[in-house]
Amino acid sequence: MSSLPITVMPWHKPDPCMPPKMQTPAAFKSSYLEYMSNLSIESKLLRSPLSVIMCTIGPSTNNQQSLISLMESGMSFALVQMSSGSREEVQDTIQLLQSAVSENSIAHDRVVTLATAVQLKPPGVHIGTLDRGRTVTLQAGDTFTLTTNSDWKYRCNSKFCYFDLPNAGDILNREDEIIVGNGGVRLIVDEVANNNITCNVTQSGQLLSNMKVSIPGVPLHLGAVTEQDKDDLAFISLQSNVDAVVVTSTKSAIHIIEIRRLLKSNGSDLRVLARIDSKSGIDNLNEIAREADGVVLARNELAAEIEVYKLLLSQKIAFATCNKIGKPVFVCAEYMESMLHLKNPKFSEIIDVQSAILDGADGVLLEAVTAEGHFADQAVKVVASSFREAEAAVWQNQIFDSLLLLAMPPMDPAHAISIGAVDTALKSCASAIILATTSGRAAQIVSRYRPRCPIIAVTRYGRVARQLNMWRAVISVHYISQPFPDWNKEVDVRLQMGIELGKEKKNNPSWRSDRFTKWVAPRGWVHKYYQSSVRL
């Protein structure tokens, strides 16, 4: 006698009629040991990662073909450093990114979204830009002159170099030590004459453009926001294709508040990311994360201020703090730097990336490997594959329950519906959550509860679509067709576009349309009129 068909309801955990995927047999276990012991190395994965890959653009990728390759490999967030060259060079890089996006959009027959952030120069004293971007090697015993004359700002060489310490002639004395970079080059002051500081090289090393200068024992009295920062923020605000600014060496929430004030005075609504690279930043992380739109944990710089044994704990604190309040958090370290010259990474580098995702990171920032490496696109592919494996093993059910305990009523309807969308998607093993949004807030709230499937967010606003690339699991869609006067028709068309993109992405081999959780974002929030629903 044949068995009766099983009736499957959305609250069944897991759905017995669906093939196991993304560690489903382990996902709904009630204890940590049960969860861990039921993980399988044969489990199916998503076709593309949920976490964000942010890439620093540099000499090796500063061309259109390389940028397109990075996007095809998994980059969704590009970082341009103000310290990488002159403003004209930074502007050229931003325009090149836009050109690569346009070319890639034509190839895919849809708007490809790529977020672009500009990172301010680290506070402190820095040397200028080397002539023609060359690397200079100084040998012990050489004579080397530092100058505050800005005529040398963009043409430093092995004998003469600009550094931005205007009062150097007043505060430096003979026999003072000057350290360039991370201690690679050491100088001893021999003579101070007006704008020129003549030094003897005591430790050989290489000079790179805009390296940091340290002067032990000499108080510099530098403010958090410098005049250079103000000028750079005015410049960044004029760039229409920039979506965020990264504030280096953030030590307090006041720093972020001041940056926002300056951006607002320039008529800009850029997202502000706080780069944490000091013990003060870790100590004030809760306040900083609440003021900023996201956090970048700079592990290498942090190691200079705290014991290396405490780095793991600092990382976990940063991730948990940001997860708790719903802010994106990224981590940068020497990820994949063996791939600067080699095509394959070290095993430890892959495990390091995966551990960050398991700890709660929303993504990683790749620095040297994408700025200077010979295999930048391959490194991004390795990171994307590492993400997919780690994301499948995240115990999302436990994380969701923990976040629910923090979601205390009363809350606005949009927030409540977002929680319902994630819960429904989890229990029904949905292939994706699709939503229509205007401001992007709906997608941000859904992302906060860390679903196991992608969030396809359809919006009519280009900047909103690009900025949503900061949030974990969000696949942003810039919808540019003629709008419909009927709002319900407009929403249905947008959601259908999300479904079509989902089929293209192929996150699930079947991509059955009845396995999507559809979230219609509120319309007219200002007037307190809500038109929200979850449809499965």
Side-chain angles (χ1 to χ4, degrees), residues 8 341 434 468 475 511 522:
V8 182
H341 307 290
I434 302 179
L468 283 176
I475 300 173
W511 271 102

Side-chain angles (χ1 to χ4, degrees), residues 428-445:
S428 64
C429 294
S431 297
I433 297 171
I434 302 179
L435 57 87
T437 182
T438 299
S439 66
R441 180 170 177 261
Q444 295 167 22
I445 297 173

Side-chain angles (χ1 to χ4, degrees), residues 358-373:
L358 290 172
D359 280 347
D362 292 281
V364 300
L365 168 59
L366 301 179
E367 295 188 302
V369 69
T370 55
E372 304 166 14

Side-chain angles (χ1 to χ4, degrees), residues 476-532:
S476 58
V477 181
H478 185 193
Y479 181 64
I480 57 175
S481 298
Q482 187 70 21
F484 290 88
D486 183 350
W487 171 247
N488 290 323
K489 177 67 174 176
E490 167 78 4
V491 168
D492 286 339
V493 170
R494 288 202 217 174
L495 295 181
Q496 186 58 42
M497 184 178 182
I499 291 174
E500 293 303 317
L501 177 65
K503 291 177 180 178
E504 178 187 326
K505 289 281 184 181
K506 296 180 181 177
N507 285 288
N508 184 292
S510 60
W511 271 102
R512 293 165 48 190
S513 60
D514 63 331
R515 288 290 176 186
F516 293 107
T517 299
K518 300 179 183 179
W519 192 139
V520 183
R523 187 186 188 197
W525 287 9
V526 175
H527 304 292
K528 302 299 181 184
Y529 167 68
Y530 293 93
Q531 187 174 348
S532 307

